[in-house]
Amino acid sequence: MTPLESLEWHRAFGQLAENVDRAGFWLALVRRLAGEVHFDTWVALVFDRRQPPRILAESDEDDGADDALFQDYQRGLYLLDPFYIDACERDRCGLFTLAEVAPQHFTRTEYYQRYFRRNIVADEIHFNQTLDTRRTLCLSLGSTRSFSRQALGSLALMQPWLLALMRLRMHFEPEGDGEAGPHPWHPLPERALEFDSRYALTEREREVSQLMLGGSSTKEIARRLAISVETVRAHKKHLYAKLGVNSQSELFSLFWQARR
């Protein structure tokens, strides 16, 4: 019997709907999910094309996550998160896996080595609900082992119910206050002619550096930005020369230092 064929499951989701305005909604929701699928960490957050992600709720148990690294995620590492990049590129709702959104060289990146492997370890999935042209509400589940096909099948069955509840919940989330501004290399199309005083990166150079450090190959960057491979190579050359670096490792070090 699948979860959606269980009377107990329908009762539980009905109770979640009744309590969608309560402070403990997110914890109650993930506990319901944990009864069906194994995962080790979770976070509810809002991706914003203009600002760092806004954290709504997160795992509060001793799950081994590094709090300092999680803070660094909001201060800049979010720009290298394949789920963040994908959400900003595509206006879509649904259940998405790491395998679907991660670029070709993701596991070779400094982001993967310094952050993802230490906090997620093996696998991650996202339930994404678009809110408007700028924002996407996400529920992320992280696991120390890969999600099985059976687990993904169960999560897919829950998706319509879950996304509806997530959308309703946003009516009761308080407005964010005092959140930090974006990383200096955050792509902002409406400010394409503005330059960072320290790095003087153009809008296109910000985009190329983000995708490069996130693990995208030259061909992937060209496809994502709808430009030629040679144009990408030219941007990389100018980027390296402007910043005085010779490798992606050195580029990441500058990116890391620039976080607010």
Side-chain angles (χ1 to χ4, degrees):
M1 179 180 292
T2 64
L4 294 185
E5 293 172 331
S6 165
L7 179 58
E8 187 272 337
W9 170 261
H10 286 276
R11 286 174 174 167
F13 256 71
Q15 186 174 17
L16 285 171
E18 289 180 357
N19 296 319
V20 71
D21 60 337
R22 304 291 178 83
F25 168 78
W26 291 112
L27 181 58
L29 177 60
V30 296
R31 283 177 174 171
R32 176 64 264 175
L33 296 179
E36 307 296 337
V37 176
H38 169 83
F39 53 90
D40 299 286
T41 61
W42 64 273
V43 58
L45 70 170
V46 177
F47 284 155
D48 191 316
R49 288 176 173 81
R50 299 181 186 175
Q51 296 293 332
R54 176 185 167 204
I55 308 301
L56 305 180
E58 60 184 290
S59 308
D60 57 3
E61 299 176 358
D62 185 14
D63 52 28
D66 188 324
D67 289 341
L69 279 178
F70 197 77
Q71 294 172 6
D72 279 329
Y73 176 82
Q74 288 185 279
R75 293 164 60 193
L77 288 178
Y78 67 92
L79 285 174
L80 312 184
D81 179 359
F83 284 101
Y84 175 82
I85 294 173
D86 184 79
C88 289
E89 284 184 348
R90 309 184 192 189
D91 184 15
R92 58 178 185 165
C93 302
L95 171 65
F96 304 103
T97 67
L98 180 64
E100 291 176 302
V101 301
Q104 182 178 359
H105 303 307
F106 176 62
T107 58
R108 303 181 192 175
T109 64
E110 297 276 357
Y111 170 79
Y112 178 86
Q113 298 295 331
R114 296 194 188 191
Y115 180 82
F116 189 91
R117 192 170 67 173
R118 291 177 61 180
N119 287 270
I120 307 298
V121 180
D123 206 358
E124 182 180 8
I125 65 97
H126 268 226
F127 288 98
N128 286 3
Q129 172 63 54
T130 56
L131 301 175
D132 51 41
T133 57
R134 280 181 47 186
R135 302 175 302 148
T136 300
L137 173 61
C138 311
L139 177 61
S140 165
L141 306 180
S143 176
T144 56
R145 59 177 187 253
S146 296
F147 287 100
S148 67
R149 292 180 65 181
Q150 181 180 0
L152 292 175
S154 295
L155 292 171
L157 287 174
M158 302 174 202
Q159 173 188 316
W161 299 70
L162 191 56
L163 294 183
L165 284 175
M166 289 170 59
R167 186 171 60 250
L168 286 173
R169 173 61 192 178
M170 282 307 295
H171 292 290
F172 305 101
E173 285 291 341
E175 294 293 327
D177 55 349
E179 292 160 349
H183 186 281
W185 295 8
H186 186 122
L188 294 168
E190 68 275 14
R191 287 166 41 190
L193 298 180
E194 295 183 20
F195 299 91
D196 178 84
S197 59
R198 290 177 60 192
Y199 303 106
L201 299 181
T202 66
E203 171 64 14
R204 185 61 88 192
E205 287 168 347
R206 290 188 183 109
E207 292 175 326
V208 170
S209 65
Q210 176 190 23
L211 294 173
M212 191 191 321
L213 292 176
S216 292
S217 66
T218 299
K219 289 184 178 179
E220 284 178 314
I221 295 173
R223 176 181 56 78
R224 286 174 178 268
L225 299 182
I227 57 180
S228 71
V229 169
E230 290 305 316
T231 299
V232 174
R233 288 174 178 156
H235 281 306
K236 286 185 177 181
K237 182 178 180 180
H238 294 157
L239 183 66
Y240 277 32
K242 183 178 292 187
L243 298 177
V245 299
N246 298 301
S247 67
Q248 284 196 34
S249 180
E250 291 179 0
L251 180 64
F252 180 84
S253 293
L254 279 182
F255 173 86
W256 185 266
Q257 294 167 14
R259 69 194 191 285
R260 298 185 187 277

